[in-house]
Amino acid sequence: MDDLDLEDVAKALVAPSKGILAADESTGTIKKRLDTINTPSTEDTRRDYRELLLSSEGAGDYISGVILYDETIRQMAKNGTPLTELIKAQGIIPGIKVDMGAKPLAFSEGELVTEGLDGLRDRLAEYHKLGARFAKWRAVISIGEASPSQYCIDTNAHALARYAALCQEANIVPIVEPEVLMDGDHNIDECYAVTETTLKTVFDELYKQRVVLEQMLLKPNMVVSGTHCPEQAGVEEVATKTLYCFEQTVPAAVPGIVFLSGGQSEQQATEHLNAMNQMGTYPWEISYSFGRALQASALSTWQGKPENIEAAQKAFLHRAKLTSAARDGEYNADME
């Protein structure tokens, strides 16, 4: 895989029956995850948990790539093997989260902009030496009474495009992630409108920054009802409106769309992905880049105890198998 060019890497990440494991939780986020199982967040426990996932035998049947955090890409397994080598041994491509998180956007109360462009060229060169062949940058767009502003969308889209251009310069495939958050009481049509505007703005900026579309992937939200909306859209409506939105906004040159789960439950995310893949053929591959929707069962099974590692790996592989089936449009609830 080290010899693959950018287009080959992008295509490999959205290969049939496979998708991406997002294991790039920041130190603060992974602490919240570990808190739920009453396990202290230390360098060793974080390593143990991620090693549990990355060393699950057979993961390469369902997982094409893994997004890592800065700490993880530098860590060794308990036996001294670099975690990146564990990943490569299963035919999985290592990736890396490179943004520095969302911070308050100046003169726009309540809105956020993702930072991390300073020094990014040098960091990308180092990550490439450490084995990363793709990267991720997440922008956060929230829906509220007065948000999002076009200013917020424009600023985040510009940063995403600059990041993507720097990645391609460094021979790393950029995953562009403009996430319209589920948080709020907005309905699915409001989510559609904001997602459409965001994607149009992002691709306009990508064009301006000379990003090669064949050498990138898009990691967007699905078009769903807000978490607190009294009327929750059903699976078919989510799939239909999501695909229609992307037909209007995503150029055919993009090799694949790797949807984020965005706070959906494991089963919800799987059902939505499956429904989209049953709706016909599209110019881009429809795959996944899930975090919690692939990890939740494994984490709750593990409970931070060495004796639970094998059971946790089985739970992870089961979820990965179901998600892989949904990526091919072959999932049904009886498989749960």
Side-chain angles (χ1 to χ4, degrees), residues 278-297:
Q278 289 182 334
M279 288 185 171
T281 303
Y282 292 87
W284 2 260
E285 296 291 335
I286 299 170
S287 189
Y288 59 91
S289 178
F290 289 173
R292 275 175 291 181
L294 275 173
Q295 298 182 42
S297 294

Side-chain angles (χ1 to χ4, degrees), residues 51-52 178 198:
E51 183 179 345
L52 177 161
T198 299

Side-chain angles (χ1 to χ4, degrees), residues 14-42:
V14 290
S17 306
K18 294 186 179 184
I20 296 169
L21 167 64
D24 59 322
E25 299 92 346
S26 66
T27 304
T29 301
I30 196 67
K31 181 183 183 304
K32 294 176 183 176
R33 303 275 193 274
L34 294 173
D35 283 346
T36 65
I37 59 168
N38 299 312
T39 298
S41 179
T42 66

Side-chain angles (χ1 to χ4, degrees), residues 60-303:
D61 293 339
Y62 316 114
I63 305 296
S64 57
V66 179
I67 309 172
L68 302 171
Y69 186 59
D70 180 80
E71 177 184 68
T72 316
I73 201 171
R74 304 174 191 279
Q75 284 181 317
M76 306 286 183
K78 280 187 175 179
N79 66 4
T81 304
L83 291 180
T84 52
E85 294 304 317
L86 283 184
I87 298 167
K88 290 180 185 179
Q90 297 215 57
I92 298 172
I93 303 171
I96 183 70
K97 164 189 162 75
V98 298
D99 68 70
M100 294 298 185
K103 306 294 169 57
L105 177 61
F107 305 115
S108 189
E109 186 176 351
E111 295 193 296
L112 302 170
V113 62
T114 302
E115 298 184 349
L117 290 172
D118 289 351
L120 181 57
R121 177 179 276 117
D122 293 337
R123 287 189 286 124
L124 287 168
E126 181 187 15
Y127 287 138
H128 192 277
K129 289 180 181 177
L130 289 170
R133 292 298 176 265
F134 71 99
K136 189 202 83 165
W137 177 292
R138 175 178 179 247
V140 180
I141 308 295
S142 59
I143 300 178
E145 286 187 17
S147 60
S149 65
Q150 190 62 48
Y151 164 47
C152 175
I153 293 173
D154 289 345
T155 306
N156 276 292
H158 180 76
L160 276 167
R162 288 189 59 197
Y163 139 81
L166 285 166
C167 281
Q168 291 183 346
E169 178 191 75
N171 205 31
I172 288 176
V173 170
I175 292 184
V176 174
E177 181 179 358
E179 179 180 2
V180 177
L181 297 176
M182 290 175 64
D183 304 334
D185 58 4
H186 54 276
N187 62 33
I188 189 171
D189 292 325
E190 290 176 274
C191 180
Y192 180 102
V194 173
T195 301
E196 181 183 44
T197 299
T198 299
L199 290 174
K200 285 181 176 178
T201 307
V202 165
F203 279 101
D204 183 50
E205 285 291 341
L206 289 168
Y207 173 76
K208 291 175 182 176
Q209 297 293 331
R210 305 180 181 180
V211 173
V212 180
L213 299 184
E214 291 86 351
Q215 298 175 356
M216 62 157 279
L217 296 174
L218 180 69
K219 179 175 178 176
N221 56 284
M222 299 177 191
V223 176
V224 296
S225 309
T227 307
H228 301 297
C229 179
E231 294 183 15
Q232 292 290 313
V235 172
E236 294 302 312
E237 185 178 6
V238 167
T240 300
K241 289 187 174 177
T242 299
L243 287 174
Y244 187 75
C245 181
F246 285 76
E247 284 183 294
Q248 307 305 308
T249 55
V250 181
V254 176
I257 299 172
V258 289
F259 282 99
L260 56 88
S261 50
Q264 299 177 64
S265 69
E266 290 177 326
Q267 189 165 352
Q268 272 183 322
T270 305
E271 288 175 345
H272 290 150
L273 179 66
N274 185 66
M276 284 188 277
N277 276 299
Q278 289 182 334
M279 288 185 171
T281 303
Y282 292 87
W284 2 260
E285 296 291 335
I286 299 170
S287 189
Y288 59 91
S289 178
F290 289 173
R292 275 175 291 181
L294 275 173
Q295 298 182 42
S297 294
L299 182 65
S300 61
T301 302
W302 178 49
Q303 292 294 313

